[in-house]
Coordinates of all heavy atoms in Angstrom, one line a residue:
P21 N -48.6 7.7 -51.7 CA -48.9 6.3 -51.7 C -47.9 5.6 -52.6 O -47.4 6.1 -53.6 CB -50.3 6.2 -52.3 CG -50.6 7.6 -52.9 CD -49.7 8.5 -52.3
I22 N -47.7 4.3 -52.3 CA -46.8 3.5 -53.1 C -47.6 2.9 -54.3 O -48.7 2.3 -54.1 CB -46.2 2.3 -52.2 CG1 -45.4 2.9 -51.1 CG2 -45.4 1.4 -53.1 CD1 -44.9 1.9 -50.1
R23 N -47.1 3.1 -55.5 CA -47.8 2.5 -56.7 C -47.0 1.3 -57.1 O -45.8 1.2 -57.1 CB -47.7 3.5 -57.8 CG -48.5 4.8 -57.5 CD -48.2 5.8 -58.6 NE -49.3 6.7 -58.7 CZ -49.8 7.1 -59.8 NH1 -49.4 6.6 -60.9 NH2 -50.8 8.0 -59.8
P24 N -47.8 0.2 -57.4 CA -47.1 -1.0 -58.0 C -46.5 -0.7 -59.3 O -47.0 0.1 -60.1 CB -48.2 -2.0 -58.1 CG -49.5 -1.2 -57.9 CD -49.2 0.1 -57.4
S25 N -45.4 -1.3 -59.5 CA -44.7 -1.1 -60.8 C -45.5 -1.9 -61.9 O -46.3 -2.7 -61.7 CB -43.3 -1.7 -60.8 OG -43.3 -3.1 -60.7
R26 N -45.2 -1.5 -63.1 CA -45.9 -2.1 -64.3 C -45.7 -3.7 -64.3 O -46.6 -4.4 -64.6 CB -45.4 -1.5 -65.6 CG -46.1 -2.1 -66.8 CD -45.6 -1.4 -68.1 NE -46.1 -2.1 -69.2 CZ -47.0 -1.6 -70.0 NH1 -47.5 -0.4 -69.8 NH2 -47.4 -2.3 -71.1
I27 N -44.4 -4.1 -64.0 CA -44.1 -5.5 -63.9 C -45.0 -6.2 -62.8 O -45.5 -7.2 -63.1 CB -42.6 -5.7 -63.6 CG1 -41.8 -5.2 -64.8 CG2 -42.3 -7.2 -63.4 CD1 -40.3 -5.2 -64.6
N28 N -45.1 -5.6 -61.7 CA -45.9 -6.1 -60.6 C -47.4 -6.2 -61.0 O -48.1 -7.2 -60.7 CB -45.8 -5.4 -59.3 CG -44.5 -5.7 -58.6 OD1 -43.8 -6.7 -58.9 ND2 -44.1 -4.8 -57.7
Q29 N -47.9 -5.2 -61.7 CA -49.2 -5.2 -62.2 C -49.5 -6.3 -63.2 O -50.5 -7.1 -63.1 CB -49.6 -3.9 -62.8 CG -49.8 -2.8 -61.9 CD -50.0 -1.4 -62.6 OE1 -49.7 -1.3 -63.7 NE2 -50.6 -0.5 -61.8
E30 N -48.5 -6.5 -64.1 CA -48.6 -7.6 -65.1 C -48.6 -9.0 -64.4 O -49.3 -9.9 -64.7 CB -47.5 -7.5 -66.2 CG -47.7 -6.3 -67.1 CD -46.6 -6.1 -68.0 OE1 -45.7 -7.0 -68.1 OE2 -46.6 -5.1 -68.7
L31 N -47.7 -9.1 -63.4 CA -47.5 -10.4 -62.7 C -48.8 -10.6 -61.9 O -49.3 -11.7 -61.9 CB -46.3 -10.3 -61.7 CG -46.1 -11.5 -60.9 CD1 -45.8 -12.7 -61.8 CD2 -44.9 -11.3 -60.0
T32 N -49.3 -9.6 -61.3 CA -50.6 -9.8 -60.5 C -51.7 -10.2 -61.4 O -52.5 -11.1 -61.1 CB -50.9 -8.4 -59.8 OG1 -49.9 -8.1 -58.9 CG2 -52.2 -8.5 -59.0
M33 N -51.8 -9.6 -62.7 CA -52.9 -10.1 -63.6 C -52.7 -11.5 -64.0 O -53.6 -12.3 -64.1 CB -52.8 -9.1 -64.8 CG -53.5 -7.8 -64.6 SD -55.2 -7.9 -63.9 CE -56.0 -8.6 -65.3
T34 N -51.4 -11.9 -64.2 CA -51.2 -13.3 -64.6 C -51.6 -14.3 -63.5 O -52.2 -15.2 -63.7 CB -49.6 -13.5 -64.9 OG1 -49.3 -12.6 -66.0 CG2 -49.4 -14.9 -65.3
I35 N -51.3 -13.9 -62.3 CA -51.6 -14.7 -61.1 C -53.1 -14.7 -61.0 O -53.8 -15.8 -60.8 CB -51.0 -14.2 -59.9 CG1 -49.5 -14.4 -59.9 CG2 -51.6 -14.9 -58.6 CD1 -48.7 -13.8 -58.8
Q36 N -53.8 -13.6 -61.2 CA -55.3 -13.5 -61.1 C -55.9 -14.4 -62.2 O -56.9 -15.1 -61.9 CB -55.7 -12.0 -61.2 CG -57.2 -11.9 -61.0 CD -57.6 -12.2 -59.6 OE1 -57.0 -11.8 -58.7 NE2 -58.7 -12.9 -59.5
E37 N -55.4 -14.3 -63.4 CA -55.9 -15.1 -64.4 C -55.8 -16.6 -64.2 O -56.7 -17.4 -64.4 CB -55.2 -14.8 -65.8 CG -55.6 -13.4 -66.3 CD -54.7 -12.9 -67.5 OE1 -53.8 -13.7 -67.8 OE2 -54.9 -11.8 -67.9
E38 N -54.6 -17.0 -63.6 CA -54.4 -18.4 -63.3 C -55.3 -18.8 -62.1 O -55.9 -19.9 -62.2 CB -52.9 -18.5 -62.8 CG -52.3 -19.9 -62.9 CD -50.9 -19.9 -62.6 OE1 -50.1 -19.0 -63.1 OE2 -50.5 -20.7 -61.7
L39 N -55.5 -18.0 -61.1 CA -56.5 -18.3 -60.1 C -57.9 -18.4 -60.6 O -58.6 -19.4 -60.3 CB -56.5 -17.3 -59.0 CG -55.2 -17.3 -58.1 CD1 -55.2 -16.1 -57.2 CD2 -55.2 -18.5 -57.2
N40 N -58.3 -17.5 -61.5 CA -59.6 -17.6 -62.1 C -59.8 -19.0 -62.9 O -60.9 -19.6 -62.8 CB -59.9 -16.4 -63.0 CG -60.1 -15.2 -62.3 OD1 -60.5 -15.2 -61.1 ND2 -60.0 -14.0 -62.9
T41 N -58.8 -19.3 -63.6 CA -58.9 -20.6 -64.4 C -59.0 -21.8 -63.4 O -59.8 -22.7 -63.7 CB -57.6 -20.7 -65.3 OG1 -57.6 -19.7 -66.2 CG2 -57.6 -22.1 -66.0
T42 N -58.2 -21.7 -62.4 CA -58.3 -22.9 -61.4 C -59.6 -22.9 -60.8 O -60.2 -24.0 -60.6 CB -57.2 -22.6 -60.3 OG1 -55.9 -22.7 -60.9 CG2 -57.2 -23.7 -59.3
V43 N -60.2 -21.8 -60.4 CA -61.5 -21.8 -59.8 C -62.6 -22.3 -60.7 O -63.4 -23.2 -60.4 CB -61.9 -20.4 -59.3 CG1 -63.4 -20.3 -58.9 CG2 -61.0 -20.0 -58.1
R44 N -62.5 -21.9 -62.0 CA -63.5 -22.4 -63.0 C -63.3 -23.9 -63.1 O -64.3 -24.6 -63.3 CB -63.3 -21.7 -64.3 CG -63.9 -20.3 -64.5 CD -64.0 -19.8 -65.9 NE -62.6 -19.7 -66.5 CZ -61.9 -18.6 -66.3 NH1 -62.3 -17.6 -65.6 NH2 -60.7 -18.6 -66.9
D45 N -62.1 -24.4 -63.2 CA -61.9 -25.8 -63.3 C -62.5 -26.6 -62.1 O -63.0 -27.7 -62.3 CB -60.4 -26.2 -63.4 CG -59.8 -25.7 -64.8 OD1 -60.6 -25.5 -65.7 OD2 -58.6 -25.7 -64.9
L46 N -62.4 -26.0 -60.9 CA -62.8 -26.7 -59.7 C -64.3 -26.7 -59.5 O -64.9 -27.6 -58.9 CB -62.1 -26.1 -58.5 CG -60.7 -26.4 -58.2 CD1 -60.1 -25.7 -57.1 CD2 -60.5 -28.0 -58.1
V47 N -65.0 -25.7 -60.0 CA -66.5 -25.6 -59.8 C -67.3 -25.9 -61.0 O -68.4 -25.4 -61.3 CB -66.8 -24.2 -59.2 CG1 -66.2 -24.0 -57.9 CG2 -66.5 -23.1 -60.2
Q48 N -66.8 -26.9 -61.8 CA -67.6 -27.3 -63.0 C -68.9 -27.9 -62.6 O -69.0 -28.7 -61.6 CB -66.8 -28.3 -63.8 CG -65.5 -27.8 -64.3 CD -64.7 -28.9 -65.1 OE1 -65.3 -29.6 -65.9 NE2 -63.4 -29.0 -64.7
P49 N -70.0 -27.6 -63.3 CA -71.3 -28.2 -63.0 C -71.2 -29.8 -63.1 O -70.6 -30.3 -64.0 CB -72.2 -27.7 -64.1 CG -71.5 -26.5 -64.6 CD -70.1 -26.7 -64.4
G50 N -71.8 -30.4 -62.1 CA -71.9 -31.9 -62.1 C -70.6 -32.5 -61.5 O -70.5 -33.8 -61.4
K51 N -69.7 -31.8 -61.1 CA -68.4 -32.3 -60.5 C -68.2 -31.9 -59.1 O -68.8 -30.8 -58.7 CB -67.2 -31.9 -61.4 CG -67.1 -32.6 -62.7 CD -65.9 -32.3 -63.4 CE -65.8 -33.0 -64.7 NZ -64.4 -33.0 -65.3
G52 N -67.4 -32.6 -58.4 CA -67.2 -32.3 -57.0 C -65.7 -32.4 -56.7 O -64.9 -32.9 -57.5
I53 N -65.4 -32.1 -55.4 CA -64.0 -32.2 -54.9 C -64.0 -33.4 -54.0 O -64.8 -33.5 -53.1 CB -63.5 -30.9 -54.2 CG1 -63.5 -29.7 -55.2 CG2 -62.2 -31.1 -53.6 CD1 -63.3 -28.4 -54.5
L54 N -63.0 -34.3 -54.2 CA -62.8 -35.5 -53.4 C -62.0 -35.1 -52.2 O -60.8 -34.8 -52.4 CB -62.3 -36.6 -54.3 CG -61.9 -37.9 -53.5 CD1 -63.1 -38.5 -52.9 CD2 -61.2 -38.9 -54.4
A55 N -62.5 -35.3 -51.0 CA -61.6 -35.1 -49.8 C -61.0 -36.4 -49.5 O -61.6 -37.3 -48.9 CB -62.5 -34.6 -48.7
A56 N -59.8 -36.6 -49.9 CA -59.0 -37.8 -49.6 C -57.9 -37.5 -48.6 O -56.8 -38.0 -48.8 CB -58.5 -38.4 -50.9
D57 N -58.2 -36.7 -47.7 CA -57.1 -36.2 -46.8 C -57.3 -36.8 -45.4 O -57.0 -36.1 -44.3 CB -57.1 -34.7 -46.7 CG -58.4 -34.1 -46.2 OD1 -59.4 -34.8 -46.3 OD2 -58.4 -33.0 -45.7
E58 N -57.8 -38.0 -45.3 CA -57.9 -38.7 -44.0 C -56.6 -38.8 -43.2 O -55.6 -39.2 -43.8 CB -58.5 -40.1 -44.1 CG -59.8 -40.2 -44.8 CD -59.7 -40.6 -46.3 OE1 -58.6 -40.4 -46.8 OE2 -60.7 -41.1 -46.8
S59 N -56.6 -38.4 -42.0 CA -55.4 -38.5 -41.1 C -55.2 -40.0 -40.8 O -56.2 -40.8 -41.1 CB -55.6 -37.7 -39.8 OG -56.7 -38.3 -39.1
H60 N -54.1 -40.3 -40.2 CA -53.9 -41.8 -39.8 C -55.0 -42.3 -38.9 O -55.5 -43.4 -39.2 CB -52.5 -41.9 -39.2 CG -51.4 -41.7 -40.2 ND1 -50.2 -41.1 -39.9 CD2 -51.3 -42.0 -41.5 CE1 -49.4 -41.1 -40.9 NE2 -50.1 -41.6 -42.0
P61 N -55.3 -41.6 -37.8 CA -56.4 -42.1 -37.0 C -57.8 -42.3 -37.7 O -58.5 -43.3 -37.5 CB -56.5 -41.0 -35.9 CG -55.2 -40.4 -35.9 CD -54.7 -40.3 -37.3
T62 N -58.1 -41.4 -38.6 CA -59.4 -41.4 -39.3 C -59.5 -42.6 -40.2 O -60.4 -43.4 -40.3 CB -59.7 -40.1 -40.0 OG1 -59.7 -39.0 -39.1 CG2 -61.0 -40.2 -40.8
I63 N -58.4 -42.8 -41.0 CA -58.4 -43.9 -42.0 C -58.3 -45.2 -41.2 O -58.8 -46.2 -41.6 CB -57.3 -43.7 -43.1 CG1 -57.7 -44.5 -44.3 CG2 -55.9 -44.0 -42.5 CD1 -56.8 -44.1 -45.5
A64 N -57.6 -45.2 -40.1 CA -57.5 -46.4 -39.3 C -58.9 -46.9 -38.8 O -59.2 -48.1 -38.8 CB -56.6 -46.2 -38.1
K65 N -59.7 -46.0 -38.4 CA -61.1 -46.3 -38.1 C -61.9 -46.9 -39.2 O -62.6 -47.9 -39.1 CB -61.9 -45.0 -37.6 CG -61.5 -44.6 -36.3 CD -62.2 -43.3 -35.8 CE -61.5 -42.6 -34.6 NZ -62.2 -41.4 -34.3
R66 N -61.7 -46.3 -40.4 CA -62.4 -46.9 -41.6 C -61.9 -48.3 -41.9 O -62.8 -49.2 -42.2 CB -62.1 -46.0 -42.8 CG -62.7 -44.7 -42.9 CD -62.3 -44.1 -44.2 NE -62.6 -42.7 -44.3 CZ -63.7 -42.1 -44.8 NH1 -64.6 -43.0 -45.3 NH2 -63.9 -40.8 -44.8
F67 N -60.7 -48.5 -41.8 CA -60.1 -49.8 -42.1 C -60.5 -50.9 -41.0 O -60.8 -52.0 -41.3 CB -58.6 -49.8 -42.2 CG -58.0 -49.2 -43.5 CD1 -58.9 -48.6 -44.4 CD2 -56.7 -49.1 -43.7 CE1 -58.4 -48.1 -45.6 CE2 -56.2 -48.6 -45.0 CZ -57.1 -48.1 -45.9
K68 N -60.4 -50.4 -39.8 CA -60.8 -51.3 -38.7 C -62.2 -51.8 -38.8 O -62.5 -53.0 -38.6 CB -60.6 -50.6 -37.3 CG -60.9 -51.5 -36.1 CD -60.7 -50.8 -34.8 CE -60.9 -51.8 -33.7 NZ -60.7 -51.1 -32.4
A69 N -63.1 -50.9 -39.3 CA -64.6 -51.3 -39.5 C -64.7 -52.5 -40.5 O -65.7 -53.2 -40.4 CB -65.4 -50.1 -39.9
V70 N -63.8 -52.6 -41.4 CA -63.9 -53.7 -42.4 C -62.8 -54.7 -42.2 O -62.5 -55.5 -43.1 CB -63.9 -53.1 -43.8 CG1 -65.1 -52.3 -44.1 CG2 -62.6 -52.3 -44.1
G71 N -62.1 -54.7 -41.1 CA -61.1 -55.7 -40.7 C -59.7 -55.6 -41.5 O -59.1 -56.6 -41.7
V72 N -59.3 -54.3 -41.8 CA -58.1 -54.1 -42.6 C -57.2 -53.4 -41.7 O -57.5 -52.4 -41.0 CB -58.4 -53.3 -43.9 CG1 -57.0 -53.0 -44.6 CG2 -59.3 -54.1 -44.8
E73 N -55.9 -53.9 -41.6 CA -54.9 -53.1 -40.9 C -54.5 -51.8 -41.6 O -54.4 -51.8 -42.8 CB -53.6 -54.0 -40.8 CG -52.4 -53.4 -40.1 CD -51.1 -54.1 -40.3 OE1 -51.1 -55.2 -41.0 OE2 -50.1 -53.6 -39.8
S74 N -54.2 -50.8 -40.8 CA -53.9 -49.5 -41.4 C -52.4 -49.3 -41.5 O -51.8 -48.5 -40.7 CB -54.6 -48.3 -40.5 OG -54.3 -47.1 -41.1
S75 N -51.8 -50.0 -42.4 CA -50.4 -49.8 -42.7 C -50.2 -48.8 -43.8 O -51.2 -48.5 -44.6 CB -49.8 -51.2 -43.0 OG -50.3 -51.6 -44.3
E76 N -49.0 -48.3 -44.0 CA -48.8 -47.4 -45.1 C -49.1 -48.1 -46.5 O -49.7 -47.5 -47.4 CB -47.3 -46.9 -45.1 CG -47.1 -45.9 -46.3 CD -45.7 -45.3 -46.3 OE1 -44.9 -45.5 -45.4 OE2 -45.5 -44.5 -47.3
D77 N -48.7 -49.4 -46.6 CA -49.0 -50.1 -47.9 C -50.5 -50.2 -48.1 O -50.9 -50.1 -49.3 CB -48.3 -51.5 -47.8 CG -46.8 -51.5 -48.1 OD1 -46.4 -50.5 -48.7 OD2 -46.2 -52.4 -47.7
K78 N -51.3 -50.5 -47.1 CA -52.7 -50.6 -47.3 C -53.4 -49.3 -47.6 O -54.3 -49.2 -48.4 CB -53.4 -51.2 -46.0 CG -53.0 -52.7 -45.7 CD -53.6 -53.5 -46.8 CE -53.3 -55.0 -46.6 NZ -53.8 -55.8 -47.7
R79 N -52.9 -48.2 -46.9 CA -53.4 -46.9 -47.3 C -53.1 -46.5 -48.7 O -53.9 -45.9 -49.4 CB -52.9 -45.8 -46.3 CG -53.4 -46.0 -44.9 CD -53.0 -44.9 -44.0 NE -51.5 -44.7 -43.8 CZ -50.8 -45.2 -42.9 NH1 -51.3 -46.1 -42.0 NH2 -49.5 -45.0 -42.8
R80 N -51.8 -46.8 -49.1 CA -51.4 -46.6 -50.5 C -52.3 -47.3 -51.5 O -52.8 -46.8 -52.5 CB -49.9 -47.0 -50.7 CG -49.4 -46.7 -52.1 CD -47.9 -47.1 -52.1 NE -47.8 -48.5 -52.0 CZ -47.8 -49.4 -53.1 NH1 -48.1 -49.0 -54.3 NH2 -47.7 -50.7 -52.9
E81 N -52.5 -48.6 -51.2 CA -53.3 -49.5 -52.0 C -54.7 -48.9 -52.2 O -55.4 -48.8 -53.2 CB -53.3 -50.9 -51.5 CG -54.1 -51.9 -52.3 CD -54.1 -53.3 -51.7 OE1 -53.2 -53.6 -50.8 OE2 -54.8 -54.1 -52.2
Y82 N -55.3 -48.5 -51.0 CA -56.7 -47.9 -50.9 C -56.8 -46.7 -51.8 O -57.7 -46.6 -52.7 CB -57.0 -47.6 -49.5 CG -58.2 -46.8 -49.2 CD1 -59.5 -47.4 -49.3 CD2 -58.2 -45.5 -48.8 CE1 -60.7 -46.7 -49.1 CE2 -59.3 -44.8 -48.5 CZ -60.5 -45.3 -48.6 OH -61.7 -44.6 -48.4
R83 N -55.8 -45.8 -51.6 CA -55.8 -44.5 -52.4 C -55.6 -44.8 -53.9 O -56.2 -44.2 -54.8 CB -54.8 -43.6 -51.9 CG -55.1 -43.1 -50.5 CD -54.0 -42.3 -49.9 NE -54.3 -41.8 -48.5 CZ -53.5 -41.9 -47.5 NH1 -52.3 -42.3 -47.7 NH2 -53.9 -41.4 -46.3
S84 N -54.7 -45.7 -54.2 CA -54.5 -46.0 -55.6 C -55.7 -46.6 -56.3 O -55.9 -46.2 -57.4 CB -53.3 -47.1 -55.6 OG -53.0 -47.4 -57.0
L85 N -56.4 -47.4 -55.6 CA -57.7 -47.9 -56.2 C -58.7 -46.9 -56.5 O -59.3 -46.8 -57.5 CB -58.3 -49.0 -55.3 CG -57.5 -50.3 -55.2 CD1 -58.1 -51.2 -54.1 CD2 -57.5 -51.1 -56.5
I86 N -58.8 -45.9 -55.5 CA -59.8 -44.8 -55.7 C -59.3 -43.9 -56.9 O -60.1 -43.6 -57.8 CB -59.9 -44.0 -54.4 CG1 -60.6 -44.9 -53.4 CG2 -60.7 -42.7 -54.7 CD1 -60.6 -44.2 -52.0
F87 N -58.0 -43.5 -56.8 CA -57.5 -42.5 -57.8 C -57.4 -43.1 -59.2 O -57.4 -42.3 -60.2 CB -56.2 -42.0 -57.4 CG -56.2 -41.3 -56.0 CD1 -55.0 -41.1 -55.3 CD2 -57.3 -40.8 -55.4 CE1 -55.0 -40.4 -54.1 CE2 -57.4 -40.2 -54.2 CZ -56.2 -40.0 -53.5
S88 N -57.3 -44.4 -59.4 CA -57.2 -45.0 -60.7 C -58.6 -45.5 -61.2 O -58.6 -46.2 -62.2 CB -56.2 -46.1 -60.7 OG -56.6 -47.1 -59.8
A89 N -59.7 -45.2 -60.5 CA -61.0 -45.7 -60.9 C -61.3 -45.1 -62.3 O -61.1 -43.9 -62.6 CB -62.0 -45.3 -59.9
S90 N -61.8 -46.0 -63.1 CA -62.2 -45.6 -64.5 C -63.3 -44.5 -64.4 O -64.3 -44.7 -63.7 CB -62.7 -46.8 -65.2 OG -63.2 -46.5 -66.5
G91 N -63.1 -43.5 -65.2 CA -64.1 -42.4 -65.3 C -64.1 -41.4 -64.1 O -65.0 -40.6 -64.0
L92 N -63.1 -41.5 -63.2 CA -63.1 -40.6 -62.0 C -63.2 -39.1 -62.4 O -63.9 -38.4 -61.9 CB -61.9 -40.9 -61.2 CG -61.8 -40.1 -59.9 CD1 -62.8 -40.5 -58.9 CD2 -60.4 -40.2 -59.3
G93 N -62.4 -38.8 -63.5 CA -62.4 -37.4 -63.9 C -63.7 -36.9 -64.5 O -63.9 -35.6 -64.6
E94 N -64.6 -37.8 -64.7 CA -66.0 -37.3 -65.2 C -66.8 -36.7 -64.1 O -67.7 -36.0 -64.2 CB -66.8 -38.5 -65.8 CG -66.1 -39.0 -67.1 CD -66.9 -40.2 -67.5 OE1 -68.1 -40.3 -67.4 OE2 -66.2 -41.2 -68.0
F95 N -66.4 -37.0 -62.8 CA -67.2 -36.6 -61.6 C -66.4 -35.8 -60.6 O -67.0 -35.2 -59.8 CB -67.7 -37.9 -60.9 CG -68.4 -38.8 -61.9 CD1 -67.9 -39.9 -62.4 CD2 -69.8 -38.5 -62.3 CE1 -68.6 -40.7 -63.3 CE2 -70.5 -39.3 -63.1 CZ -69.9 -40.4 -63.7
I96 N -65.1 -35.8 -60.7 CA -64.2 -35.2 -59.7 C -63.4 -34.1 -60.4 O -62.8 -34.3 -61.5 CB -63.3 -36.2 -59.0 CG1 -64.0 -37.3 -58.4 CG2 -62.3 -35.5 -58.1 CD1 -65.0 -36.9 -57.3
S97 N -63.5 -32.8 -59.9 CA -62.7 -31.8 -60.5 C -61.4 -31.5 -59.7 O -60.6 -30.8 -60.2 CB -63.6 -30.5 -60.5 OG -64.0 -30.1 -59.2
G98 N -61.3 -32.0 -58.5 CA -60.1 -31.8 -57.7 C -60.1 -32.8 -56.5 O -61.1 -33.4 -56.2
V99 N -58.9 -32.9 -55.9 CA -58.8 -33.9 -54.8 C -57.9 -33.2 -53.7 O -56.9 -32.6 -54.0 CB -58.0 -35.2 -55.2 CG1 -57.9 -36.1 -54.1 CG2 -58.8 -35.8 -56.4
I100 N -58.4 -33.3 -52.5 CA -57.6 -32.8 -51.3 C -56.9 -34.0 -50.8 O -57.5 -35.0 -50.5 CB -58.6 -32.3 -50.2 CG1 -59.5 -31.1 -50.8 CG2 -57.8 -31.8 -49.0 CD1 -60.6 -30.8 -49.8
L101 N -55.6 -33.9 -50.7 CA -54.7 -35.0 -50.4 C -54.1 -34.9 -49.0 O -53.8 -33.8 -48.6 CB -53.5 -35.1 -51.4 CG -53.9 -35.4 -52.8 CD1 -52.7 -35.4 -53.7 CD2 -54.7 -36.7 -53.0
F102 N -53.9 -36.0 -48.3 CA -53.2 -36.1 -47.1 C -51.7 -36.0 -47.5 O -51.3 -36.6 -48.5 CB -53.5 -37.3 -46.3 CG -52.9 -37.5 -45.0 CD1 -53.2 -36.6 -44.0 CD2 -52.0 -38.5 -44.7 CE1 -52.7 -36.7 -42.7 CE2 -51.5 -38.6 -43.4 CZ -51.8 -37.7 -42.5
E103 N -50.9 -35.4 -46.6 CA -49.4 -35.2 -46.9 C -48.7 -36.5 -47.3 O -48.0 -36.6 -48.2 CB -48.8 -34.6 -45.7 CG -47.3 -34.3 -46.0 CD -46.6 -33.6 -44.8 OE1 -47.3 -33.4 -43.8 OE2 -45.4 -33.3 -44.9
E104 N -49.0 -37.6 -46.6 CA -48.5 -38.9 -46.9 C -48.6 -39.3 -48.4 O -47.7 -39.8 -49.0 CB -49.1 -40.0 -46.0 CG -48.7 -41.4 -46.3 CD -49.4 -42.4 -45.4 OE1 -50.6 -42.6 -45.5 OE2 -48.6 -43.1 -44.6
T105 N -49.8 -39.0 -49.0 CA -50.1 -39.4 -50.3 C -49.2 -38.7 -51.4 O -48.9 -39.2 -52.4 CB -51.5 -39.0 -50.6 OG1 -52.4 -39.4 -49.6 CG2 -52.0 -39.6 -51.9
L106 N -48.7 -37.5 -51.0 CA -47.8 -36.8 -52.0 C -46.6 -37.5 -52.4 O -46.1 -37.4 -53.4 CB -47.5 -35.4 -51.4 CG -48.7 -34.4 -51.2 CD1 -48.2 -33.2 -50.5 CD2 -49.3 -34.1 -52.5
G107 N -46.1 -38.3 -51.4 CA -44.8 -39.0 -51.7 C -45.1 -40.5 -52.0 O -44.1 -41.3 -52.2
Q108 N -46.3 -40.9 -52.2 CA -46.6 -42.3 -52.5 C -46.7 -42.5 -54.1 O -47.1 -41.6 -54.8 CB -47.9 -42.8 -51.9 CG -47.7 -42.9 -50.4 CD -49.0 -43.3 -49.7 OE1 -50.1 -42.9 -50.2 NE2 -48.9 -44.1 -48.6
N109 N -46.5 -43.7 -54.4 CA -46.8 -44.2 -55.8 C -48.0 -45.1 -55.8 O -48.2 -45.8 -54.8 CB -45.5 -44.9 -56.4 CG -44.4 -44.0 -56.8 OD1 -44.6 -42.8 -56.9 ND2 -43.2 -44.5 -56.9
S110 N -48.7 -45.2 -56.9 CA -49.8 -46.1 -57.1 C -49.3 -47.5 -57.2 O -48.2 -47.8 -57.2 CB -50.6 -45.7 -58.4 OG -49.8 -46.0 -59.5
L111 N -50.3 -48.4 -57.3 CA -50.0 -49.8 -57.5 C -49.2 -50.0 -58.8 O -48.5 -51.0 -58.9 CB -51.3 -50.7 -57.5 CG -52.0 -50.7 -56.1 CD1 -53.3 -51.4 -56.3 CD2 -51.2 -51.2 -55.0
D112 N -49.4 -49.1 -59.8 CA -48.7 -49.2 -61.1 C -47.5 -48.4 -61.0 O -46.9 -48.1 -62.1 CB -49.6 -48.7 -62.2 CG -50.8 -49.7 -62.3 OD1 -50.7 -50.9 -62.1 OD2 -51.9 -49.2 -62.7
N113 N -47.0 -48.0 -59.8 CA -45.8 -47.2 -59.7 C -45.8 -45.8 -60.3 O -44.8 -45.3 -60.8 CB -44.5 -48.0 -60.1 CG -43.3 -47.6 -59.5 OD1 -43.3 -47.1 -58.3 ND2 -42.2 -47.7 -60.2
V114 N -46.9 -45.2 -60.3 CA -47.1 -43.8 -60.8 C -47.3 -42.9 -59.5 O -48.0 -43.3 -58.6 CB -48.3 -43.7 -61.7 CG1 -48.5 -42.2 -62.1 CG2 -48.2 -44.6 -62.9
A115 N -46.6 -41.8 -59.5 CA -46.8 -40.9 -58.4 C -48.3 -40.5 -58.3 O -48.9 -40.2 -59.2 CB -45.9 -39.6 -58.5
M116 N -48.7 -40.6 -57.0 CA -50.2 -40.3 -56.8 C -50.7 -39.0 -57.4 O -51.7 -38.9 -58.1 CB -50.6 -40.3 -55.3 CG -50.4 -41.7 -54.7 SD -51.7 -42.9 -55.2 CE -51.4 -44.2 -54.0
P117 N -49.9 -37.9 -57.2 CA -50.4 -36.6 -57.8 C -50.4 -36.7 -59.3 O -51.3 -36.2 -60.0 CB -49.4 -35.6 -57.3 CG -48.8 -36.2 -56.0 CD -48.8 -37.6 -56.3
K118 N -49.5 -37.4 -59.9 CA -49.4 -37.6 -61.4 C -50.6 -38.4 -61.8 O -51.2 -38.2 -62.9 CB -48.1 -38.2 -61.8 CG -47.9 -38.5 -63.2 CD -47.6 -37.3 -64.0 CE -47.3 -37.6 -65.4 NZ -47.2 -36.4 -66.2
L119 N -51.0 -39.4 -61.1 CA -52.1 -40.3 -61.4 C -53.4 -39.5 -61.5 O -54.3 -39.8 -62.3 CB -52.2 -41.4 -60.3 CG -53.3 -42.4 -60.4 CD1 -53.1 -43.3 -61.7 CD2 -53.4 -43.3 -59.2
L120 N -53.5 -38.4 -60.7 CA -54.7 -37.6 -60.7 C -54.7 -36.5 -61.7 O -55.7 -35.8 -61.9 CB -54.8 -36.9 -59.2 CG -55.1 -38.0 -58.2 CD1 -54.9 -37.3 -56.8 CD2 -56.6 -38.5 -58.3
S121 N -53.5 -36.2 -62.4 CA -53.5 -35.1 -63.3 C -54.0 -35.5 -64.7 O -54.2 -36.6 -65.0 CB -52.1 -34.6 -63.3 OG -51.2 -35.6 -63.9

């Protein structure tokens, strides 16, 4: 049988510890994960229902308002993002992922 080298075992433990920490952070009591990964068609339906055009600027504004809500971190332990959001900046010109960190 192939045995993992000591370096690989140490690396595996480091990765395992990191994963355990991430899981603990995500499943904190009283907190949840915000699913903000609406596709273009899904968010367009939400916007249409309230008479808002689904442009990139409007989607950015919508996400920016949610992500910058006061006290969000008290209730949310993580956020699932739509790919478009990764490259967007908030209304205050802060990268969306940075805004959530």
Side-chain angles (χ1 to χ4, degrees):
I22 300 174
R23 296 172 156 226
S25 70
R26 182 181 171 109
I27 293 172
N28 284 341
Q29 287 175 339
E30 290 174 9
L31 180 61
T32 300
M33 285 305 294
T34 301
I35 292 170
Q36 185 66 44
E37 290 167 1
E38 203 172 311
L39 286 171
N40 287 337
T41 299
T42 299
V43 169
R44 276 193 302 275
D45 289 346
L46 288 174
V47 296
Q48 296 176 50
K51 292 190 176 188
I53 297 172
L54 173 62
D57 61 337
E58 301 100 336
S59 66
H60 291 145
T62 301
I63 203 166
K65 287 179 192 174
R66 287 182 194 264
F67 284 6
K68 184 177 182 181
V70 294
V72 175
E73 176 191 1
S74 181
S75 66
E76 183 178 354
D77 281 340
K78 291 294 181 184
R79 293 188 300 270
R80 180 180 68 86
E81 184 177 346
Y82 170 74
R83 292 172 181 137
S84 182
L85 290 171
I86 293 171
F87 300 162
S88 63
S90 178
L92 183 69
E94 295 175 38
F95 307 100
I96 302 298
S97 60
V99 180
I100 303 168
L101 299 175
F102 185 63
E103 184 178 2
E104 175 182 63
T105 312
L106 296 173
Q108 290 178 326
N109 286 339
S110 70
L111 297 174
D112 295 326
N113 205 31
V114 176
M116 293 287 192
K118 178 77 174 168
L119 183 63
L120 292 165
S121 63

